[in-house]
Amino acid sequence: MTKIDEIADGNRLTNADLSCLLTSTFSIVSITVNVFVCTATIFGNILILISIYKYSKQFKGSLYMFIGNLAVADLLLGLWLLLLLYEEVVPDVKQDWYFCVTKPIGVLISYSCSILTLIGISFDRFMAVIFPLKHLVHTYKRKFFIAYLTLIWIISIIGGSLTVILPNLEPPSNTFVCRIGAILPPGFELVSSVALLLAILINSSLFGVVMWKIKTKEIPGNSNSQKKNTKTVLMIVIFVTFAVCWLPFVICSFLLQANIAPSTFQNVVCAQEYLARLGFVNSAQNWIIYGLANRNFRTAFKKILCCNGCTFPLKPVSFSTDGSRSKSACKETECPVNLKQNETVI
């Protein structure tokens, strides 16, 4: 049985049997998940970003800015996971210290940005439902949201890079483990898990209030209110899937800080490596949830994938004097949503 000695995990140095990470099963799972996540994440989020850029009139407002930012963060993870895929295909690269140090940077930046963006989305939906008039006034202040999103990236890049680089400027003199949890400084995994749990609690509280408001104050027949509520529920689904995919990993992080037996410790470490792949899958799900569930995005995807064989929209929409669409208006299958005049995007 293969032994990996002197594994650093948080503040613990112990002889742990991590042969589970060297099995063909783990390699197959890692390669399969990485290939799926890389392909789906890169393809889907590029579609999202092209849609928002090319058809900006259909994707106005603060919510779509947050969705675009989340798509960029997920796209970064998809590209960075190519390193992990390369690691599985060429195992010898695990002996390169600088490769191992580089590996966590993109992952930390991506998830730091995703967490801060999800918090921004929860506050945005909270304002849209609880204070709709104030939200309507502020939602088109692009400079404010651009500044906020820029700040998110500055915090994520600086925090994600320096956290890894500063403690690992020189290769260790002894044996090292090419594992993200072992490369990160002692205690970082616990701190990041606490921060992630805190973010989940904040989002849960805000969305809990929002759902209560939707159920008790919904105005029947108000189309704008129904659309706003639909988008809010969709964002709640995004948050719930994020929490479901990452909470098991967080639980393992807390268990590793407890005073557990060496055999249990190594089992938790192995389980955590598998559960980290579940967290990666979350980035491949986001664009599917808010992309295919939103008619604007579905229509944009069709226009993009047919290589501009049809335009977006094909024909301008005209209205009769009573406000209904005239016969010259394009069909619903040919045009994007927002066909009504003076419709407010929330």
Side-chain angles (χ1 to χ4, degrees), residues 62-95:
S62 57
L63 180 59
Y64 288 114
M65 295 183 69
F66 282 119
I67 288 177
N69 197 64
L70 188 60
V72 174
D74 288 338
L75 179 61
L76 172 63
L77 180 70
L79 294 172
W80 210 268
L81 285 183
L82 292 174
L83 290 179
L84 275 70
L85 185 60
Y86 178 72
E87 177 187 38
E88 296 297 333
V89 177
V90 186
D92 291 342
V93 78
K94 296 180 182 180
Q95 306 301 321

Side-chain angles (χ1 to χ4, degrees), residues 140-160:
Y140 290 106
K141 292 186 176 180
R142 292 181 58 85
K143 292 183 178 180
F144 169 78
F145 290 102
I146 290 174
Y148 176 76
L149 297 178
T150 301
L151 180 62
I152 286 178
W153 279 102
I154 291 175
I155 294 174
S156 301
I157 292 173
I158 294 177

Side-chain angles (χ1 to χ4, degrees), residues 28-67:
I28 292 173
V29 170
S30 296
I31 292 174
T32 303
V33 171
N34 289 342
V35 169
F36 167 74
V37 173
C38 288
T39 304
T41 302
I42 294 173
F43 172 78
N45 287 291
I46 286 178
L47 270 181
I48 292 290
L49 295 174
I50 293 176
S51 300
I52 293 176
Y53 174 77
K54 190 172 183 180
Y55 309 123
S56 56
K57 291 183 179 180
Q58 278 70 42
F59 301 108
K60 292 181 179 179
S62 57
L63 180 59
Y64 288 114
M65 295 183 69
F66 282 119
I67 288 177

